[in-house]
Amino acid sequence: MTTSSDLEPGTLPPGTADLRAQVREFLAETPFTARADSWLTGADPAFSRLLGERGWIGMTLPREYGGHGRSPLERFVVIEELLAAGAPVGAHWIADRQTGPSILAHGTEEQKRRFLPAIARGECFFAIGMSEPDSGSDLASVRTRAERDGDGWRLRGTKVWTSGAHIAHAILVLARSAPASRNRHEGLGQFIVPLPDERVAIRPIRGLSGEHHFNEVVLDGVFVPDAMVLGRVGDGWRQVTAELAYERSGPERLLSTFMLVRLLHGRAGDRAARRAIGGLTARLWSLRQASLAVAGALARGETPELPAALVKDLGTRFEREVIEVAREHAGVEPDPGSPDPLARALAGAVVQAPGFTLRGGTNEILRGIVARGLGVR
Ligand SMILES: Cc1cc2nc3c(=O)[nH]c(=O)nc-3n(C[C@H](O)[C@H](O)[C@H](O)COP(=O)(O)OP(=O)(O)OC[C@H]3O[C@@H](n4cnc5c(N)ncnc54)[C@H](O)[C@@H]3O)c2cc1C
């Protein structure tokens, strides 16, 4: 494992400045509704397809599977620009960030040919079926069962907080395929369930604003043929842990409220406001350098578990502090219907903020990872 002290500073390779300029140009000439936390709340399938046409989804997937053979650092630049603009990337986000790479790593040839080109075109969206009503932080305690049935498996159980399941073309379900032994990490598997399916009920869970972004997903004996098992049944824990590394390490863990920082810059206000906004900007810069260093380590094939956990903990707390500074100094009330973009962005951010430090693993769990990595636990 890479420890925080040996993480090398991240640098972007030559050529990424051009790529960044292309993304900015695209964003300037393409109409879209900008919003805070757009990677979770901004689902626009037509926008996803436009990005797919530009080659900005599935960037790191190999060309033979419809991807673009580009480096993780080039992807970093593209998603940094999309997030900074509050672009509606939510529909394809999960497939691009983690399911595509997981299928590439563990999938069969047939699965790669079926899903990866469609993911890269921005036409195939995935949902993450990990959490359950009583299994979040303690993911190995999942109770969804996979029971052998002929040449496949029947899944029974309930998943919860399933972001985007209502627009997804498939969900990757973590389920227990053998009774829990003393080692609870054994006996788990990952199963691809194409959606919709009459044996999968997807019920909305509405957020504070009444918007529908996540769901309860009830699997009522849905059949998964062996051809749709991802990787090896029994190896689900190792696979899911690798998937979480993609889920936890990206710049979205500090940029969910970046829009507010930008809009605040236009209204620097009094001395106290300028000091607060300046402070945020300085911290954003150092967090961004740390995030880039994590991306660089991943690009070199390392597993920077400790630094990624650290950056996610610091980054998600920063995202919340941006909201506090905006509330204190912007001189506007959060209002989703306001003509003022700052009031609108603030309203969107305020209702999403409680989830920042929970999703993808809570900050307490991340600090446990850091403590273990430093040998103090
Ligand atoms: C916006 C949002 C989107 C999400 N999207 C998805 C999704 O698409 N798919 C999916 O599968 N899941 C999703 N989740 C679920 C998310 O992964 C879980 O909420 C998270 O892992 C925490 O699990 P929990 O909610 O069950 O809380 P719990 O695990 O019950 O934790 C409750 C509290 O106890 C603390 N705690 C628990 N264990 C420990 C410990 N060992 N040490 C110290 N403190 C501890 C936690 O930090 C937390 O504060 C989403 C969550 C949110 C908020």
Side-chain angles (χ1 to χ4, degrees), residues 52 66-67 88 165 222 242 277 350 368:
V222 59
I277 297 164
V350 163

Side-chain angles (χ1 to χ4, degrees), residues 44-368:
D44 179 345
F47 189 86
S48 293
R49 276 194 297 277
L50 283 180
L51 289 181
E53 281 168 18
R54 298 275 168 150
W56 293 334
I57 303 180
M59 288 179 71
T60 60
L61 298 175
R63 288 180 192 279
E64 61 174 313
Y65 298 121
H68 303 281
R70 303 190 78 159
S71 78
L73 290 173
E74 288 175 300
R75 177 175 180 270
F76 183 94
V77 166
V78 170
I79 61 172
E80 196 173 45
E81 287 303 315
L82 294 169
L83 295 170
V89 291
H92 65 269
W93 191 261
I94 288 167
D96 178 53
R97 176 181 69 187
Q98 63 195 82
T99 329
S102 284
I103 292 176
L104 181 68
H106 310 294
T108 62
E109 191 60 24
E110 185 193 337
Q111 289 167 356
K112 290 179 196 172
R113 301 228 171 262
R114 172 167 171 181
F115 293 109
L116 299 185
I119 287 175
R121 287 196 303 273
E123 293 175 357
C124 178
F125 312 141
F126 263 83
I128 307 167
M130 295 187 195
S131 305
E132 299 185 2
D134 295 315
S135 303
S137 303
D138 184 16
L139 196 56
S141 69
V142 288
R143 285 185 298 184
T144 294
R145 297 280 307 275
E147 282 162 8
R148 193 75 188 143
D149 182 359
D151 53 2
W153 300 81
R154 290 224 175 253
L155 304 188
R156 285 192 179 81
T158 300
K159 296 291 172 180
V160 79
W161 310 126
T162 321
S163 307
H166 53 302
I167 57 162
H169 301 95
I171 177 171
L172 183 55
V173 175
L174 177 70
R176 184 152 283 292
S177 51
S181 61
R182 273 181 48 201
N183 180 357
R184 295 183 312 142
H185 296 166
E186 288 173 358
L188 293 165
Q190 282 191 298
F191 302 84
I192 302 171
V193 179
L195 298 173
D197 186 292
E198 59 181 18
R199 284 181 174 262
V200 181
I202 299 174
R203 304 188 182 122
I205 298 175
R206 296 196 181 273
L208 289 174
S209 63
E211 289 187 344
H212 175 195
H213 302 302
F214 42 46
N215 305 274
E216 178 190 62
V217 176
V218 180
L219 306 151
D220 182 20
V222 59
F223 182 72
V224 180
D226 285 335
M228 284 292 127
V229 170
L230 183 66
R232 208 175 58 78
V233 174
D235 222 8
W237 185 255
R238 194 181 56 79
Q239 293 175 199
V240 110
T241 316
E243 190 183 327
L244 282 171
Y246 295 114
E247 184 172 343
R248 289 176 174 166
S249 58
E252 71 270 33
R253 301 303 183 173
L254 56 109
L255 291 178
S256 303
T257 53
F258 179 82
M259 264 187 83
L260 291 179
V261 182
R262 250 192 15 207
L263 293 167
L264 277 169
H265 269 257
R267 332 199 168 179
D270 61 15
R271 195 179 163 76
R274 288 201 299 276
R275 182 177 295 149
I277 297 164
L280 282 182
T281 309
R283 280 179 51 215
L284 177 61
W285 184 249
S286 46
L287 280 169
R288 193 261 184 171
Q289 290 309 109
S291 176
L292 189 53
V294 169
L298 285 170
R300 291 191 297 275
E302 298 167 16
T303 313
E305 196 185 1
L306 188 161
L310 207 56
V311 174
K312 182 172 179 292
D313 179 15
L314 294 171
T316 51
R317 283 192 280 152
F318 169 80
E319 291 179 330
R320 280 189 173 182
E321 282 168 38
V322 170
I323 298 174
E324 294 314 314
V325 169
R327 292 189 83 160
E328 198 173 332
H329 296 288
V332 296
E333 286 298 313
D335 178 0
S338 170
D340 179 349
L342 181 52
R344 280 202 311 275
L346 190 52
V350 163
V351 293
Q352 287 302 112
F356 292 168
T357 52
L358 299 175
R359 57 190 180 189
T362 69
N363 287 30
E364 289 74 23
I365 294 299
L366 296 171
R367 285 173 212 161

